[in-house]
Amino acid sequence: MAFMFFNSLLLLLLLLQISCSRFSLALQENSSATVRSGQINSNSVLVALLDSHYTELAELVEKALLLQTLEETVGKHNITIFAPKNEALERDLDPEFKRFLLEPGNLKSLQTLLLYHIVPARIDRHSWPKSTSALTHHFTLSNERVELSGDDSSGEKFIGSAKVISSNAVDRPDGVIHGIEQLLIPRSVQQDFNNRRSLRSISAVKPEGAPEVDPRTHRLKKPAPPVKPGAPPVLPIYDAMAPGPSLAPAPAPGPGGPHHHFNGMRQVKDFIQTLIQYGGYNEMADILVNLTSLATEMGRLVSEGYVLTVLAPNDEAMAKLTTDQLSEPGAPEQIIYYHIIPEYQTEESMYNAVRRFGKVSYDTLRLPHKVLAQEADGSVRFGHSDGSAYLFDPDIYTDGRISVQGIDGVLFPLEEKAKEEKKTIKVATVKPRRGKLLEAACRMLVAIGQDSRFTSCRL
């Protein structure tokens, strides 16, 4: 009887133990369900992160849709967050890399980057390594490891190459936040960014045929695609110029193309004003002011994206010009066009060129003539022999679009000098021939004595 009572008591205890186990399991499941439902404590480290001064990191966590994931993680164990300072995400971060992270198609990379800053364990300041030799490694929520180290002498703490600037900045029962100096970038995200940048640079180059220019109108046969600001113009500068200047003075051009990215007229006025204020170049400035068509065309070319270098003769050189050189129609324009190079050159660039190559021929806006430059006496000399000019006042005006270099002479193409010399020789040979004919006629008249009036001819 006692044996049966003992067995019954033992069975009752066993049933009671099984019931308690099931009740405990139900409580755990109910607790897990509560955590999964998103109910977290107001004293949680996640709430502290959202309310802290690490606003940039908090905004990225929300944009990356990671709050639910972090709530579930906090419900399981403590976490350690390495929070970069706001300046590291605002000012110090590469703008191109930041655009890459915020693109909707790169959400996975942004999530990986942020989870790389969170370790699913509590790491207080006291558990940090004390020296560089005692390194510790921890897996982050992105399944990549971070390295923790310290400095014996200074007491500084590091995570990877980032310095910890505020250890235990936020301390809560379920986690801790350490402030760090810079953003931590895992290798996988860096590799994704490099691959995307390489693909973008390759796909940006689209094969296109060269634009065709109508030789009659000097305009494109097919409309050119829109030109981005700062890009070089499509047309060569000679096709963009108004008719002239080799035939006649260029008329004032109409409005230019649709891609005005620079205020060319303002820049032309600025360099003319600079010539006046610099002193010694008033004649050159007067020509540019009076020849409105020339100044207007220069401004239009600069507005279209072209660059110009002006070789400006000083007043002493301009005073040597003769009336014959300026009296022909379009002569002032012809002279100025020969002094404009369709390139952006400075004293340094031109001197380096002549030092390296000896002689350099620059194109001018007066087709097809070129101006020769060579090194002489430690400076740059333009032109040929007697009609040459030295670089006298370098870099009078340089703004990245227009460069003005002062010279001490007026330049003329070599062919024009040859023509002037031929004219001089022709006149010199005609005069003696005329005198010999007159002398021979006098001799004949005196000899035959036909008229007494010719007896006074002096032979």
Side-chain angles (χ1 to χ4, degrees):
M1 187 71 179
F3 179 75
M4 291 178 63
F5 177 76
F6 178 76
N7 287 339
S8 299
L9 183 60
L10 184 63
L11 181 60
L12 183 63
L13 290 174
L14 181 61
L15 291 174
L16 184 61
Q17 184 178 3
I18 292 173
S19 300
C20 291
S21 299
R22 288 181 177 178
F23 181 71
S24 176
L25 182 61
L27 286 177
Q28 291 178 4
E29 291 179 354
N30 188 30
S31 176
S32 300
T34 304
V35 171
R36 286 194 296 270
S37 65
Q39 300 294 329
I40 62 173
N41 195 337
S42 61
N43 197 31
S44 172
V45 69
L46 293 181
V47 177
L49 173 64
L50 298 177
D51 293 338
S52 68
H53 61 275
Y54 299 105
T55 55
E56 289 293 321
L57 179 63
E59 289 180 7
L60 288 180
V61 169
E62 293 181 357
K63 290 180 180 178
L65 308 177
L66 287 177
L67 285 177
Q68 182 68 28
T69 303
L70 295 180
E71 287 174 5
E72 295 176 0
T73 305
V74 169
K76 296 176 183 178
H77 35 61
N78 274 211
I79 63 173
T80 300
I81 301 175
F82 301 103
K85 61 181 182 179
N86 289 336
E87 291 80 1
L89 296 172
E90 287 180 335
R91 186 178 62 246
D92 301 338
L93 191 61
D94 180 12
E96 188 176 355
F97 183 68
K98 189 172 184 178
R99 285 194 300 269
F100 164 78
L101 293 176
L102 297 180
E103 289 179 0
N106 300 327
L107 179 62
K108 186 67 176 176
S109 297
L110 177 60
Q111 292 176 341
T112 303
L113 178 82
L114 295 174
L115 294 177
Y116 187 66
H117 290 73
I118 304 174
V119 174
R122 188 181 188 92
I123 306 174
D124 291 307
R125 67 162 69 100
H126 305 295
S127 57
W128 212 280
K130 302 298 183 182
S131 63
T132 55
S133 58
L135 303 177
T136 58
H137 296 84
H138 296 270
F139 276 96
T140 65
L141 293 182
S142 66
N143 288 329
E144 297 186 57
R145 293 196 309 172
V146 291
E147 181 184 84
L148 275 60
S149 61
D151 191 344
D152 298 331
S153 58
S154 62
E156 295 177 341
K157 301 177 178 62
F158 295 91
I159 171 170
S161 60
K163 179 183 175 182
V164 178
I165 56 177
S166 178
S167 58
N168 283 48
V170 176
D171 194 346
R172 294 292 184 269
D174 56 355
V176 62
I177 298 177
H178 301 293
I180 60 177
E181 194 172 30
Q182 64 189 48
L183 186 70
L184 303 176
I185 303 177
R187 285 186 178 181
S188 59
V189 176
Q190 185 67 50
Q191 186 64 35
D192 291 342
F193 172 65
N194 293 338
N195 294 339
R196 185 65 58 88
R197 182 166 53 181
S198 299
L199 289 174
R200 185 173 297 173
S201 62
I202 294 173
S203 61
V205 180
K206 297 180 180 179
E208 295 181 357
E212 296 184 29
V213 179
D214 191 338
R216 294 174 299 175
T217 61
H218 294 283
R219 291 293 180 264
L220 292 177
K221 291 183 179 180
K222 184 179 179 181
V227 180
K228 294 182 179 180
V234 178
L235 281 172
I237 190 170
Y238 302 106
D239 293 319
M241 292 174 62
S246 57
L247 300 177
H259 50 278
H260 282 196
H261 309 308
F262 309 98
N263 192 339
M265 286 308 303
R266 176 178 296 176
Q267 290 176 273
V268 171
K269 291 179 181 178
D270 286 345
F271 99 74
I272 294 175
Q273 188 68 25
T274 303
L275 284 177
I276 297 174
Q277 294 178 353
Y278 193 88
Y281 294 89
N282 294 329
E283 294 294 331
M284 182 71 177
D286 288 342
I287 291 178
L288 293 173
V289 170
N290 294 326
L291 297 178
T292 56
S293 61
L294 176 61
T296 302
E297 183 166 39
M298 291 177 65
R300 184 179 64 83
L301 291 174
V302 174
S303 297
E304 294 287 345
Y306 298 97
V307 293
L308 303 173
T309 297
V310 181
L311 303 178
N314 57 19
D315 290 344
E316 184 178 351
M318 296 293 287
K320 296 179 182 178
L321 292 174
T322 62
T323 305
D324 294 337
Q325 291 173 326
L326 297 173
S327 60
E328 296 183 7
E333 291 92 338
Q334 299 277 357
I335 294 174
I336 300 302
Y337 275 121
Y338 186 64
H339 289 74
I340 300 178
I341 300 172
E343 303 175 24
Y344 188 79
Q345 297 287 344
T346 62
E347 177 202 17
E348 182 180 3
S349 63
M350 289 190 291
Y351 184 69
N352 289 340
V354 297
R355 278 286 303 272
R356 181 176 181 183
F357 301 106
K359 293 183 179 181
V360 179
S361 293
Y362 292 104
D363 291 326
T364 66
L365 294 190
R366 184 177 177 182
L367 282 174
H369 302 293
K370 299 176 181 290
V371 61
L372 178 67
Q374 54 188 323
E375 182 188 10
D377 303 328
S379 181
V380 182
R381 188 179 70 183
F382 302 96
H384 303 269
S385 60
D386 296 338
S388 61
Y390 283 86
L391 183 58
F392 191 69
D393 290 316
D395 298 339
I396 296 176
Y397 181 86
T398 52
D399 64 357
R401 311 301 305 175
I402 300 177
S403 170
V404 181
Q405 307 293 326
I407 58 177
D408 62 354
V410 180
L411 302 174
F412 291 94
L414 191 60
E415 295 180 4
E416 289 191 357
K417 293 181 180 180
K419 290 180 181 179
E420 290 181 2
E421 291 177 358
K422 287 182 180 179
K423 288 181 181 180
T424 304
I425 295 173
K426 186 175 180 181
V427 172
T429 54
V430 167
K431 286 183 179 180
R433 185 179 177 188
R434 185 178 177 186
K436 289 183 179 179
L437 289 175
L438 182 61
E439 182 180 352
C442 288
R443 287 175 182 271
M444 291 175 62
L445 292 174
V446 172
I448 60 178
Q450 290 183 351
D451 195 335
S452 60
R453 288 175 299 173
F454 296 100
T455 57
S456 60
C457 287
R458 294 184 179 180
L459 301 179

